[in-house]
Amino acid sequence: MLRTNKPTPITSSTYVLLFVFLGIPALLFGGQYLFARRYRAKKQAVVTADFPDTWNAILLSNVPLVSKLPSHFRQRLETNIKLFLAEVSFEGQGGVQITDEIRVTVAAQACLLTVGREDKRYPRLKNVIIYPSAFTDSPRAPNFDPDNPTYRLGESWTTGTVILAWDSTKRGAINIHDGRNVALHEFAHQLDQEDGVGDGVPIFQSQSAFTAWSQVFTKEYEIQVKKATKGRRSVLDHYGATNYAEFFAVSTEAFFEKPKQLKRKRPEIYKILKNYYRLDPVSW
Ligand SMILES: [Zn+2]
């Protein structure tokens, strides 16, 4: 007797299972691959595009710190500005029309903070909102209190938004010796918030860097609190005594705008920021 193995019929439920276990992963993987390819192609196009002369003119007139930057960083800064402007959207509030002057002035300062570190950008940052001058809390802010509005020059949110008052931003960028720069301040907060928390402790590449940071910043913050409480003069703005996050942001302003004084008066802060930003503004 000849026995034959009758093939199992392929039912519709088999097709469903095949689709779930093979089809969906293939579609997802294919989609991701196409997205990554398109992203890389778009990034490459941005990187290879010329840096417009008009943008150079804006840097020259509005962001003099860029002219002081060592020449070997210039190419990276321009690339990072182009990528920043391709990835981050700008929105004007209170009648502000977003222009290249606003975009380039803001982007250049944001990118100054990261130019020392190859491929370091702002992974959480999605948009920058510009007001003409000091603004009250935005109703979209996480801690908005309509009964208690306060005026401010800048904000940085962990959800990926930086808000700036344009008059202060431009003034702070042009004057590079007063230790006050709202854009550097807010983008330092944005770096601090990269791990989802604004606590004055940004992301470090090693445990030893984190340990050194904790020791120096804890000690120096206590000194700052004492100076602020007693009204003593300080190379750092007393606002830095508010909390660790503000201490990091205020120290960053002084690092770029009063590097010599900071290195002389608070050498440990200068050294730890030099290691973090991988820049040495005293030598500029
Ligand atoms: Zn702040």
Side-chain angles (χ1 to χ4, degrees):
M1 191 174 82
L2 189 66
R3 279 180 53 184
T4 57
N5 286 328
K6 201 175 167 189
T8 312
I10 297 177
T11 61
S12 57
S13 59
T14 312
Y15 283 120
V16 170
L17 284 172
L18 280 171
F19 179 71
V20 167
F21 288 106
L22 295 175
I24 290 179
L27 279 173
L28 286 175
F29 181 76
Q32 270 182 347
Y33 173 74
L34 280 176
F35 179 79
R37 242 180 72 159
R38 210 173 299 155
Y39 174 77
R40 276 199 301 273
K42 193 178 159 196
K43 186 178 169 188
Q44 189 58 25
V46 171
V47 168
T48 51
D50 284 341
F51 194 83
D53 289 343
T54 49
W55 290 13
N56 269 319
I58 294 165
L59 294 182
L60 208 57
S61 64
N62 283 12
V63 197
L65 268 177
V66 169
S67 312
K68 291 181 165 287
L69 195 67
S71 55
H72 58 275
F73 283 127
R74 183 63 188 239
Q75 183 73 42
R76 188 188 292 170
L77 182 78
E78 291 184 1
T79 300
N80 288 355
I81 290 172
K82 288 186 286 184
L83 288 168
F84 185 99
L85 291 177
E87 291 167 355
V88 177
S89 67
F90 279 68
E91 176 189 328
Q93 285 286 340
V96 169
Q97 298 289 324
I98 298 299
T99 59
D100 270 3
E101 183 191 10
I102 292 175
R103 294 168 75 240
V104 173
T105 302
V106 171
Q109 293 178 93
C111 294
L112 260 176
L113 295 188
T114 56
V115 72
R117 304 167 64 183
E118 201 168 358
D119 254 2
K120 175 72 185 166
R121 300 220 299 279
Y122 295 91
R124 279 177 171 262
L125 184 65
K126 294 193 281 279
N127 63 331
V128 175
I129 299 173
I130 304 287
Y131 282 84
S133 52
F135 55 90
T136 57
D137 293 339
S138 162
R140 284 185 276 163
N143 300 318
F144 177 62
D145 177 1
D147 299 325
N148 236 337
T150 50
Y151 282 86
R152 39 192 89 217
L153 304 177
E155 282 183 6
S156 174
W157 301 352
T158 51
T159 47
T161 296
V162 165
I163 312 178
L164 294 166
W166 172 237
D167 57 357
S168 299
T169 299
K170 187 173 175 179
R171 203 164 45 238
I174 290 173
N175 185 339
I176 57 170
H177 297 298
D178 64 353
R180 288 166 189 262
N181 185 311
V182 65
L184 295 182
H185 182 107
E186 298 307 333
F187 283 105
H189 279 316
Q190 194 61 210
L191 289 174
D192 176 15
Q193 293 162 343
E194 192 179 325
D195 56 1
V197 192
D199 56 359
V201 185
I203 293 175
F204 297 99
Q205 285 182 323
S206 69
Q207 181 63 33
S208 60
F210 167 73
T211 306
W213 181 278
S214 304
Q215 285 168 352
V216 169
F217 263 69
T218 305
K219 188 181 80 178
E220 294 288 340
Y221 175 70
E222 294 307 323
I223 294 171
Q224 193 63 24
V225 169
K226 275 186 196 149
K227 279 179 181 282
T229 311
K230 295 181 178 173
R232 284 203 212 126
R233 281 164 61 89
S234 166
V235 64
L236 299 176
D237 194 295
H238 284 165
Y239 185 62
T242 308
N243 54 43
Y244 284 106
E246 297 305 340
F247 189 60
F248 170 46
V250 163
S251 299
T252 294
E253 290 178 82
F255 178 72
F256 284 94
E257 294 208 342
K258 289 180 169 178
K260 283 180 185 150
Q261 295 100 307
L262 185 66
K263 191 175 181 181
R264 197 171 60 242
K265 304 266 186 191
R266 312 286 286 271
E268 289 192 69
I269 298 180
Y270 186 85
K271 188 178 168 198
I272 208 93
L273 289 177
K274 181 182 161 198
N275 290 341
Y276 174 70
Y277 287 117
R278 294 191 206 147
L279 295 170
D280 189 10
V282 158
S283 64
W284 295 0

